[in-house]
Amino acid sequence: MNGNQEFIQKYLIETDQPSVYHFIQLHREFVLKNTPPDARLADYWSHTIKQRAATLEKTLEKSPSIDWKSLEAEIKTTSTHSNSEDTSSASTKKRSRSSSSKTGSCEMTEEMLCEYRKAFEALEDSQKWDLGNGVYVEDLMYEFGASCTHEHLSHSFILDPEDPVYKDVFSLEQLELIKTASNNALEDYNEGCKNLFTMFTQVVNDFKTRGSAASSSHSSHPNSSVSVKEDDIIDSLYEKLMASQFQNPRTNYNEYWIQKTMMEYLDVYRWKVLEWVKNEGSEMDFVNRIWVLLDKVFDNLMIAAKRDNISVSTDYIDNKKQAVTGSAIPSKLPSIRPDLILFKDGFEFGAGECGKTEEGKNEVVETGLHCPKIMKSMFLYSGSKCNDDIDVYRALRIVCFCQFGLQMKVSVLDNPSGYVCRLRSTAYYKISTEPSKIPSGLLQIMKLTLKAIITVEQSINLIDDYLTG
């Protein structure tokens, strides 16, 4: 197989309902970059996708019509389109749109490096992030970015202080200043929530300490590979939950969400859902059976937790240059569809990406390039709707849920100073299939989710206060 066939085969294997249309929409930039020069676009990709599907005995869904002419026009114009956007005020917070797909980092062309240089030269020293002694974050980032052969977050003016490449760019003291400047990454929850998490942890720890004896009324599931002790932990947590008073969702929603979510995950443990999803599940199975249970944390804030929807923010930011100017109108860049969007009142406050494997190139590219750029578009879009108010930019935070396999981390993007957007991420926590490890896995993920929604709530209130003040 050639590279295109391998890429298509990977898509077919990982996608539950593949189609030619879905592949073109999802991997439009890959198609633009990898169409053979002598090939007719529609014939080549339709034939290759159908051929690989037949080989894999994979059924393709019926596709709606595809605008092949628009794609052909884009290929004729350029196969590696680069587009950087300025905003006013903190205008320099640029999100670079390149030909990088969700599966790789594109090679930096001369055109892209030129755009990067022009963006940097437009920055004013007086507005940059000063680390002291006239050392600016933007200058050191640009020097590094200009030396890169492939796309990096520095080309979008996004700085992850934990990125190991920066150990040779900034001193340890400078990195610490960058990490700790201004806002906390995530907000904390109240004592009522802490007490519930402590209660669940205590139940598991007490059970592990004293050991367990199989109850005469209990028998394991016949197909279970988990010991009676592990099953008894599930029952003990259930009994503790039932004995506790469930909170009123109108007055204590976060506590209520903890109780309800734990009850739902106990069923996931009880009926061994985690095991079959881990061993046999598709990416959609991971979303529908494991991760969607967390989405209900957003309900009381009337946030729409949308799965696999077009991002309004990226569509707006990436296509701002489309206008009637007397010259050729730039082709509309393809819409981005994150696996999760947190949407409320026309604003997007967070995103998420999922995968069924915990490690590999896909996870690295998604969390280290693709997701942060989406977050920045959401950040810029929200700020632009607040008239690029600098105080809004300084306080606004966008979150991202990175869910791969049974592990999850949360990333937060903000703008503490200068033109740079900072990216900070928690450690990964993993849901174990063993109930005895619930305190170190599931509970930690629930805590992260709760902190993320409280952080999102502050961003919502920030924008509401500005728009109504």
Side-chain angles (χ1 to χ4, degrees):
M1 289 188 294
N2 60 35
N4 288 351
Q5 291 171 329
E6 290 179 355
F7 190 86
I8 291 170
Q9 179 162 305
K10 183 175 184 293
Y11 160 80
L12 292 169
I13 292 172
E14 295 182 352
T15 306
D16 288 336
Q17 296 179 316
S19 70
V20 175
Y21 176 84
H22 182 255
F23 177 86
I24 298 299
Q25 290 296 105
L26 186 63
H27 300 297
R28 186 183 182 104
E29 292 162 343
F30 178 87
V31 170
L32 293 176
K33 188 176 180 181
N34 293 280
T35 301
D38 57 344
R40 188 169 181 273
L41 193 69
D43 292 344
Y44 175 79
W45 289 103
S46 295
H47 173 75
T48 307
I49 293 170
K50 291 175 181 178
Q51 185 182 57
R52 295 314 306 164
T55 301
L56 296 171
E57 298 183 347
K58 189 89 172 184
T59 302
L60 292 173
E61 297 292 309
K62 185 177 180 181
S63 292
S65 60
I66 299 172
D67 188 359
W68 294 109
K69 289 185 178 180
S70 174
L71 279 167
E72 288 172 352
E74 287 186 55
I75 290 177
K76 289 178 182 178
T77 302
T78 175
S79 63
T80 53
H81 188 83
S82 174
N83 183 19
S84 296
E85 293 297 335
D86 282 332
T87 65
S88 54
S89 180
S91 70
T92 46
K93 306 180 192 72
K94 298 168 75 68
R95 174 186 181 272
S96 170
R97 176 66 177 268
S98 74
S99 58
S100 286
S101 70
K102 294 175 71 173
T103 56
S105 170
C106 72
E107 186 175 356
M108 293 294 290
T109 65
E110 287 298 323
E111 181 185 1
M112 293 165 68
L113 288 170
C114 181
E115 287 292 318
Y116 181 49
R117 176 178 54 79
K118 289 179 181 178
F120 172 72
E121 291 174 348
L123 309 185
E124 298 179 15
D125 284 352
S126 62
Q127 301 299 318
K128 292 178 182 178
W129 188 345
D130 190 350
L131 295 175
N133 299 319
V135 177
Y136 300 119
V137 171
E138 290 82 353
D139 293 356
L140 297 180
M141 280 186 68
Y142 173 74
E143 184 178 348
F144 166 75
S147 70
C148 293
T149 60
H150 286 69
E151 187 183 11
H152 184 267
L153 282 182
S154 57
H155 300 125
S156 298
F157 294 94
I158 301 173
L159 172 59
D160 178 359
E162 297 294 342
D163 189 332
V165 301
Y166 286 126
K167 291 180 180 179
D168 297 325
V169 177
F170 299 97
S171 69
L172 293 178
E173 292 78 10
Q174 289 169 339
L175 285 173
E176 189 61 26
L177 282 173
I178 293 169
K179 292 176 189 177
T180 57
S182 191
N183 304 316
N184 292 327
L186 294 168
E187 296 300 317
D188 207 353
Y189 38 79
N190 63 26
E191 287 299 318
C193 296
K194 292 178 182 178
N195 291 337
L196 284 170
F197 287 129
T198 299
M199 179 185 78
F200 296 139
T201 301
Q202 196 63 49
V203 169
V204 176
N205 289 344
D206 287 350
F207 206 96
K208 288 162 65 178
T209 299
R210 69 175 183 266
S212 65
S215 170
S216 58
S217 62
H218 176 83
S219 60
S220 296
H221 189 282
N223 295 324
S224 172
S225 61
V226 181
S227 67
V228 172
K229 176 180 176 181
E230 294 285 343
D231 282 344
D232 285 349
I233 290 175
I234 299 171
D235 292 340
S236 293
L237 284 167
Y238 174 78
E239 290 164 6
K240 189 70 173 181
L241 259 176
M242 294 303 294
S244 65
Q245 181 179 0
F246 264 68
Q247 297 293 308
N248 184 335
R250 288 196 179 275
T251 57
N252 299 299
Y253 184 80
N254 289 344
E255 291 91 331
Y256 168 78
W257 174 81
I258 293 172
Q259 293 172 313
K260 184 178 179 182
T261 302
M262 176 56 74
M263 189 70 76
E264 291 177 329
Y265 273 113
L266 287 179
D267 276 344
V268 171
Y269 275 102
R270 183 178 288 113
W271 310 125
K272 314 300 181 261
V273 175
L274 280 170
E275 294 181 7
W276 76 255
V277 170
K278 177 184 177 182
N279 296 327
E280 305 168 22
S282 66
E283 180 178 316
M284 191 59 67
D285 291 327
F286 277 92
V287 172
N288 289 338
R289 301 310 308 269
I290 309 300
W291 299 120
V292 77
L293 299 181
L294 300 176
D295 292 356
K296 297 173 186 178
V297 75
F298 308 109
D299 288 354
N300 73 311
L301 297 179
M302 312 301 180
I303 295 174
K306 298 181 177 182
R307 292 282 179 178
D308 194 28
N309 270 255
I310 291 172
S311 168
V312 174
S313 300
T314 58
D315 210 35
Y316 173 81
I317 295 296
D318 289 343
N319 292 290
K320 280 181 67 176
K321 286 185 177 180
Q322 278 202 315
V324 178
T325 61
S327 58
I329 300 174
S331 298
K332 184 179 184 297
L333 289 172
S335 300
I336 303 287
R337 301 175 71 95
D339 291 330
L340 173 67
I341 295 175
L342 305 181
F343 184 88
K344 180 178 173 67
D345 297 334
F347 291 85
E348 294 173 338
F349 295 95
E353 287 292 348
C354 301
K356 68 176 185 178
T357 55
E358 294 176 1
E359 297 178 352
K361 183 179 178 181
N362 186 49
E363 185 272 337
V364 171
V365 174
E366 294 262 15
T367 61
L369 185 62
H370 181 71
C371 293
K373 290 169 66 176
I374 293 174
M375 296 166 73
K376 183 157 188 180
S377 286
M378 293 178 173
F379 184 91
L380 292 178
Y381 180 79
S382 296
S384 71
K385 296 304 179 184
C386 295
N387 300 312
D388 294 310
D389 184 85
I390 193 65
D391 292 330
V392 171
Y393 278 128
R394 294 291 184 251
L396 182 63
R397 284 171 290 179
I398 302 295
V399 304
C400 183
F401 293 85
C402 305
Q403 300 162 333
F404 291 87
L406 292 177
Q407 65 179 12
M408 187 187 92
K409 72 175 181 180
V410 173
S411 296
V412 182
L413 182 137
D414 64 359
N415 168 235
S417 185
Y419 296 113
V420 174
C421 277
R422 173 181 59 181
L423 183 73
R424 291 177 290 179
S425 301
T426 69
Y428 269 116
Y429 292 97
K430 183 175 180 178
I431 302 178
S432 172
T433 57
E434 301 173 41
S436 59
K437 295 181 180 178
I438 282 177
S440 61
L442 175 61
L443 290 189
Q444 301 306 315
I445 285 174
M446 289 174 63
K447 291 175 182 179
L448 280 186
T449 304
L450 200 53
K451 289 180 178 181
I453 187 56
I454 295 170
T455 303
V456 167
E457 184 175 14
Q458 290 205 358
S459 291
I460 292 173
N461 292 338
L462 171 73
I463 289 176
D464 283 346
D465 290 345
Y466 178 83
L467 294 177
T468 59

